Amino acid sequence: MSHALQRSRPAGIRRGETASGWLFTAPMLVLLGLFLVVPVLMALWVSVSDWGGRGSPFSGGVSFVGLKNYATVLLGGGLAEQDFGTSLRNNAWYVILVVPTQTALSLFLAVLVNRQVLRGRGFFRTAFYFPSVTSSVAITVLFLFLFSTSGAVNGLLGWLGLNGPNWINDPDGIFHFGADSAPAVLEENTILGVPIWDWIGGPSVAMCVYIIMAVFTTSGTFMLLFLAALQNISVEVQEAAMVDGANGWQRFWRVTLPQLRPTLFTVLTLGLIGGWQVFDQIYTGTRGQPAKTTLTPAYLSYQASFTDQEWGQGAAIAFILFVIIVAFTLLQRWALRERPVSRRRMRPYQDTRGGAR
Amino acid sequence: MSARRIAAASVLYAVLLVLALVYIYPFLIQVATSFKTNADATANPLSLLPATATTEAYTKLFGNSDFPTWIKNSVIVTVFVTAGRVFFDSLAGYALARLRFRGRRVVFAGLVAVMSVPAVVLLIPKFLVINTLGIYDSYTGMVLPLLVDAAGVFIMKNFFESIPVSVEEQARIDGAGTFRVFASIVLPMARPALVTIIILSFQGSWNELAHFIVSTQSPEFTTLTKGVAQLANGQLSQGRQYPLKLAAAIVMTIPVAVLFFVFQRRIVTASEGAVKG
């Protein structure tokens, strides 16, 4: 269409568009270049240098150290490697638990709110979405109170006769189920300086507070995405499935869900990307404590640079995190790619078509 | 309505009400607790009625702390960032949507590439540039890096592509320059998209934390997010004063909450557009 339009335009009015085109985009180019592109290049240099935070990283005293900072973090065998391994473990469990839960919950909420006959739809939608508009700092402050030892959550558990844990002060992995000692094999063998026993122990009780908070704050946003997609699904297909005798459950799994695939992809991708970027909450709340079980790569990268003045290591961690996020996004794109429907999955449908009817 | 349908509807409403309660109750607790005394807050964390209502937390915040300074800084940053984004995002979005200029494709490809860089990864890199430019610990360093956002340019570009080109053509034939056409004809038509940008920028810069951590140091430049975060983890040696902390978090939430309730319908479409874009 734009081709046809272009040809029909008088040639004269196109004059000077190159100049104004660059002029109009110049502020964007300068600002994004200066604060997105240049920083990445500069950090790349810092990650392979021994800059200590004083003066310019380009001054004469700073020298090239190759991949030393990356090696220290990934293979060094010291505290830096152990901290990085710990932060990866913490964040991996966070992602594993947050992404599926928030996706399932937001889809569930969307399906509930999407009912045509529902009264008070606006109210419910507002209620579920409101946590998403508040800042991560404000919501963390609230959750620190709710999950404090004498807080609301433990108060509620007390009503039910349960003794709540110490939440944000409890470093025990939830999949250790209170076990104190580990089999020697799991204790002696380590990955990135962290014993296998700790890798499989799950997130600490403290980390679970952040996991619950993430599900609480993001489900509303993703609910809106699913709602928009649900409203675009044609009624005819649903009705056709109904005529064919599919019940509500079958209609959801066989008819609705496949049509939500693009939205599902968006939600999972956004969830995954966001899940690896936990920073604000940790900075506001526990700052990696108790026992480093709420340390995340993003917070560790900040801490290494600004607190410990290990700028090379901090930058290296940031780039490793970048690679992790890109790798997971690509992996997911591959896993959720459009595939031709396999014979096996087609069979039930072909059977009904060729069957008694 | 059959008995079965009524039963199904009751279950649906029961589930929805319980869920809504789970989502809303924490905020009710928050408001109630901010009017409690410290002892009352810890003793009765679930109750929505303070034993003795007190506004001590608020008096302390506004009368005896840096809180007003934090508010001032957040307002300054938000106003400038929102204004800048409205102008620069629409300018660039218009150029990418409408102007045929050499290099447009490259600029657009660059924009897409830049959008895929996760924000948290830029934490240290941004500090390095801000420091090198000598704008660390200043309003310039706080505002300038946030003045354009790639997602906003995208939203504006998509919007301009969706409106008919004929009006602009006419103005151009009548001899109006590109900027005149943009400012007096295109921008007024773009009001819905501009409202979207205003909402997203306001919310984004008001709630921003990480950027202010790496771009400022002195108390006089502390924003609400940074100040309240430090208050929360006890750096300002406030101990466990939950009413005070919760009151601070409430005051900080009010502007975005007002924005949310005023533009509710628009926000719902805005967040969809942001993702689709």
Side-chain angles (χ1 to χ4, degrees):
Chain A
M1 192 188 97
S2 71
H3 254 297
L5 275 176
Q6 236 168 306
R7 232 175 292 138
S8 71
R9 283 171 180 173
I13 63 166
R14 299 265 114 209
R15 215 180 296 136
E17 280 200 11
T18 297
S20 32
W22 283 105
L23 205 63
F24 277 34
T25 47
M28 171 190 82
L29 290 172
V30 170
L31 288 171
L32 291 185
L34 202 53
F35 296 106
L36 276 165
V37 182
V38 174
V40 170
L41 298 177
M42 222 166 144
L44 204 57
W45 160 246
V46 168
S47 78
V48 292
S49 79
D50 63 354
W51 187 58
R54 292 193 175 266
S56 161
F58 299 115
S59 65
V62 182
S63 47
F64 177 71
V65 296
L67 295 177
K68 185 171 155 268
N69 291 316
Y70 290 89
T72 313
V73 171
L74 291 171
L75 315 155
L79 188 65
E81 184 197 342
Q82 208 185 346
D83 281 355
F84 182 65
T86 308
S87 73
L88 269 190
R89 180 206 63 165
N90 298 338
N91 213 151
W93 280 111
Y94 177 94
V95 169
I96 289 170
L97 292 173
V98 166
V99 174
T101 318
Q102 74 189 12
T103 309
L105 180 63
S106 53
L107 180 57
F108 179 66
L109 294 178
V111 170
L112 285 188
V113 175
N114 193 41
R115 302 278 163 132
Q116 298 302 321
V117 289
L118 188 71
R119 272 169 197 230
R121 255 170 109 179
F123 165 76
F124 289 118
R125 206 175 52 188
T126 305
F128 300 145
Y129 184 67
F130 185 71
S132 315
V133 299
T134 59
S135 77
S136 45
V137 174
I139 208 84
T140 308
V141 169
L142 175 57
F143 267 65
L144 289 178
F145 171 67
L146 294 177
F147 283 88
S148 60
T149 308
S150 58
V153 173
N154 277 357
L156 202 65
L157 291 173
W159 276 4
L160 304 170
L162 296 169
N163 235 337
N166 271 330
W167 294 112
I168 54 164
N169 299 314
D170 189 341
D172 289 342
I174 57 168
F175 297 141
H176 280 158
F177 302 109
D180 285 329
S181 57
V185 195
L186 296 180
E187 196 61 74
E188 281 155 17
N189 292 300
T190 62
I191 302 171
L192 284 169
V194 177
I196 300 202
W197 172 248
D198 288 341
W199 279 98
I200 61 170
S204 67
V205 178
M207 192 51 139
C208 287
V209 175
Y210 294 106
I211 291 173
I212 296 168
M213 189 168 90
V215 173
F216 180 73
T217 48
T218 53
S219 46
T221 316
F222 293 144
M223 173 195 72
L224 290 185
L225 297 187
F226 279 125
L227 260 181
L230 282 172
Q231 275 153 14
N232 283 335
I233 287 182
S234 77
V235 189
E236 285 103 50
V237 184
Q238 290 285 349
E239 280 169 355
M242 246 188 249
V243 171
D244 284 351
N247 63 31
W249 189 248
Q250 285 169 328
R251 282 205 308 277
F252 176 76
W253 287 101
R254 299 273 175 84
V255 181
T256 311
L257 201 58
Q259 294 188 78
L260 291 179
R261 194 196 185 88
T263 314
L264 203 60
F265 177 76
T266 309
V267 168
L268 286 171
T269 309
L270 290 176
L272 205 57
I273 294 175
W276 281 103
Q277 300 198 55
V278 193
F279 176 83
D280 291 10
Q281 303 87 312
I282 308 296
Y283 178 90
T284 309
T286 50
R287 305 220 154 184
Q289 296 310 318
K292 295 187 179 169
T293 58
T294 61
L295 206 57
T296 61
Y299 186 74
L300 182 66
S301 140
Y302 162 80
Q303 196 186 40
S305 308
F306 284 84
T307 315
D308 307 337
Q309 298 296 314
E310 291 285 357
W311 289 85
Q313 282 178 28
I317 294 171
F319 279 104
I320 299 171
L321 184 59
F322 192 8
V323 171
I324 291 176
I325 292 174
V326 171
F328 270 103
T329 315
L330 293 178
L331 185 73
Q332 196 174 335
R333 184 165 294 189
W334 175 80
L336 286 175
R337 70 192 180 281
E338 284 290 344
R339 271 170 291 206
V341 182
S342 74
R343 279 244 181 101
R344 190 176 54 77
R345 298 188 72 187
M346 275 306 285
R347 204 168 298 142
Y349 305 100
Q350 278 157 352
D351 283 352
T352 44
R353 235 178 272 160
R357 276 193 297 158
Chain B
M1 230 197 251
S2 71
R4 231 189 110 200
R5 283 193 107 181
I6 294 176
S10 325
V11 171
L12 174 70
Y13 281 107
V15 170
L16 275 169
L17 280 174
V18 169
L19 279 170
L21 198 64
V22 171
Y23 276 81
I24 294 171
Y25 203 75
F27 295 104
L28 299 180
I29 291 184
Q30 182 177 17
V31 174
T33 308
S34 72
F35 291 106
K36 291 178 184 174
T37 59
N38 284 331
D40 189 19
T42 348
N44 308 305
L46 273 171
S47 95
L48 290 185
L49 284 175
T52 42
T54 164
T55 53
E56 197 195 325
Y58 293 93
T59 352
K60 214 168 179 180
L61 272 181
F62 285 99
N64 195 14
S65 76
D66 287 342
F67 200 66
T69 316
W70 301 346
I71 295 182
K72 185 192 81 188
N73 288 332
S74 277
V75 170
I76 290 175
V77 169
T78 304
V79 166
F80 279 100
V81 168
T82 306
R85 283 190 181 178
V86 165
F87 185 61
F88 293 133
D89 286 359
S90 53
L91 209 56
Y94 179 71
L96 288 174
R98 280 284 201 274
L99 306 178
R100 318 275 131 188
F101 62 100
R102 200 186 280 265
R104 189 176 66 123
R105 267 158 214 265
V106 182
V107 171
F108 185 66
L111 187 70
V112 175
V114 151
M115 268 177 81
S116 62
V117 180
V120 154
V121 173
L122 287 166
L123 218 60
I124 297 171
K126 259 194 198 166
F127 165 77
L128 295 172
V129 169
I130 289 170
N131 200 27
T132 308
L133 290 176
I135 52 175
Y136 182 69
D137 225 11
S138 72
Y139 284 121
T140 317
M142 293 162 80
V143 171
L144 205 57
L146 300 179
L147 271 190
V148 172
D149 70 318
V153 176
F154 235 93
I155 292 175
M156 292 313 294
K157 173 184 174 285
N158 283 349
F159 180 82
F160 288 130
E161 279 170 348
S162 74
I163 55 177
V165 81
S166 47
V167 190
E168 297 161 58
E169 299 269 275
Q170 194 50 52
R172 291 193 151 211
I173 292 168
D174 293 347
T178 315
F179 189 78
R180 270 261 334 263
V181 173
F182 169 74
S184 55
I185 295 172
V186 179
L187 267 193
M189 282 200 292
R191 193 182 290 165
L194 291 178
V195 172
T196 304
I197 300 289
I198 291 175
I199 294 168
L200 293 177
S201 310
F202 185 95
Q203 199 190 341
S205 47
W206 185 264
N207 288 346
E208 174 67 44
L209 168 68
H211 174 66
F212 303 129
I213 292 176
V214 299
S215 63
T216 59
Q217 186 179 35
S218 34
E220 54 174 308
F221 292 116
T222 302
T223 58
L224 266 177
T225 43
K226 195 178 162 189
V228 175
Q230 290 174 347
L231 186 71
N233 57 36
Q235 278 182 33
L236 308 175
S237 63
Q238 299 291 340
R240 295 194 173 212
Q241 302 183 32
Y242 288 120
L244 184 79
K245 294 174 183 176
L246 291 172
I250 289 173
V251 175
M252 180 174 159
T253 309
I254 289 174
V256 278
V258 168
L259 187 80
F260 170 66
F261 285 112
V262 171
F263 291 106
Q264 217 188 112
R265 202 153 287 260
R266 193 56 70 58
I267 287 176
V268 172
T269 33
S271 44
E272 284 156 21
V275 173
K276 271 185 211 151

